[in-house]
Amino acid sequence: MKEGRVVRVDAKVVHVDLGDGEAPVQAALRGSLFEDLGPVKNPVAVGDLVEVDPEGDPCAVEAVRPRRNYLGRVASSHDPREQVLVANVDQLFVIGALKDPGFSSNRTDRILAACLWHEIPAILVFNKADLDAKGKRLERYLATYGDIPGLEILVTSARTGQGVEELAERLRGRISVLYGPSGAGKSSLLNAIQPDLDIKEGRISSYWKQGKHTTTYSAMHALARGGYVIDTPGIRVFRPYGLRRTQVRDLFPDLAAYQGACQYSDCTHDHEPGCAVADAVEEGRLADTRYASYLSLLDEVDPEGAYDPDDAPVDPMG
Ligand SMILES: Nc1nc2c(ncn2[C@@H]2O[C@H](COP(=O)(O)OP(=O)(O)OP(=O)(O)O)[C@@H](O)[C@H]2O)c(=O)[nH]1
Ligand SMILES: [Mg+2]
Ligand SMILES: [Zn+2]
């Protein structure tokens, strides 16, 4: 039995790097891995440490080691189970473009909240700085994100190389994920850091100003300076899985800073009188986009009252 790291997951096989300098082996998934999954969709994700039997016929993943962390989300609007996106990572870079495609604060804020929830350090990257020559857009976003406790920000351009060296240094020696919408430049940034990765880059639709979902599966790449980085397909929506209503407010540190000033100590900043968060938004001390993201998430995790992850729907076929 050998231990290895999952670097890619296909429908029927996973690609496992055995750390022997050879190309990853392709291993099948044993049916037993799908037992006892509960409301989780996939037993194995990129970044998982697995045991494989390379002599087996077929070579198969026998076991998945316990994860030190992972990022998950609701699988899709048709599938309420949790989809594990990546496992065992040191940090996640949320890549947004300053222009083409437009920056989505709602999606960004949800990913940042999910990273806090899963205890994965997140760094926010504003890419395509070259398309914001006067820095007007950046200025606006820095006003929103610049003071969020614990949030680091990088400004890059895969086109001009701005900030690329900084990003490369942040990746050195760690296991990182690049995550964000299609067309933001995740693959381009990795190629700018290390051209021999030669990852396929897409184009931006000239009409919709959106990416074309060029990267179609998550893949972990080894970096020449040391460390690994996972390039992921562009996402459309991000719905955190299994959150309770009262947990959401702690995942927005800039809002949480006002908690003690609200009239009710357990204020959800939704409808309560004397809410310091609502006041701060009103007075322009807190970005209305952050508040809107918070309220949308609050609304979604708990449309009807108490939410208990143990009651999460389980796939009847599961
Ligand atoms: N002007 C400019 N264009 C960029 C920059 N970074 C990437 N692009 C362009 O944006 C388009 C999309 O880049 P990709 O790297 O494929 O984007 P992605 O985030 O990997 O997209 P998906 O794989 O679809 O999720 C390509 O045409 C790139 O050339 C940048 O910093 N400035
Ligand atoms: Mg890509
Ligand atoms: Zn409040």
Side-chain angles (χ1 to χ4, degrees), residues 34 37-44 73 75-76 79 81-84:
F34 292 87
L37 269 181
V40 177
K41 185 182 174 191
N42 52 326
V44 182
R73 66 167 179 185
S76 76
D79 185 345
R81 293 177 298 174
E82 182 172 36
Q83 176 191 19
V84 179

Side-chain angles (χ1 to χ4, degrees), residues 195-255:
D196 68 14
L197 289 176
D198 200 17
I199 306 170
K200 191 170 176 217
E201 298 173 17
R203 282 189 298 116
I204 300 298
S205 124
S206 49
Y207 183 72
W208 296 104
K209 299 290 181 205
Q210 283 182 357
K212 295 186 168 177
H213 294 275
T214 305
T215 303
T216 53
Y217 53 84
S218 295
M220 187 186 278
H221 305 276
L223 293 167
R225 297 186 195 190
Y228 296 88
V229 65
I230 303 169
D231 188 21
T232 62
I235 55 158
R236 294 186 179 86
V237 285
F238 186 94
R239 296 196 292 148
Y241 177 89
L243 268 176
R244 288 167 198 247
R245 189 173 167 85
T246 50
Q247 289 165 326
V248 181
R249 60 182 173 227
D250 294 330
L251 304 180
F252 286 71
D254 42 349
L255 272 73

